[in-house]
Amino acid sequence: MKNVRVELYEDGVLVDVVEQENVNVGEILNLIYDNEHSSKSLRVYSSNTLVYSE
């Protein structure tokens, strides 16, 4: 995927963003988060298009 942006939310608050020009299949991107928060969600964009949301 090209122009990838990964956003991590904890309890509805954006806590970390990883941006990378190219991401290959199986490549790992590291995000920083706090295990104390109960609700986490993840959004992945490729070229400004949402491709994954959890």
Side-chain angles (χ1 to χ4, degrees), residues 7-49:
E7 299 175 345
L8 176 66
Y9 293 82
E10 292 178 346
D11 296 330
V13 177
L14 180 63
V15 293
D16 197 14
V17 174
V18 173
E19 293 181 311
Q20 194 164 315
E21 191 172 319
N22 292 298
V23 176
N24 297 313
V25 173
E27 187 171 348
I28 295 172
L29 301 176
N30 293 310
L31 297 163
I32 298 171
Y33 63 93
D34 183 351
N35 281 330
E36 299 288 320
H37 293 274
S38 58
S39 174
K40 292 181 180 49
S41 62
L42 186 71
R43 293 181 187 164
V44 180
Y45 296 87
S46 177
S47 298
N48 295 322
T49 300

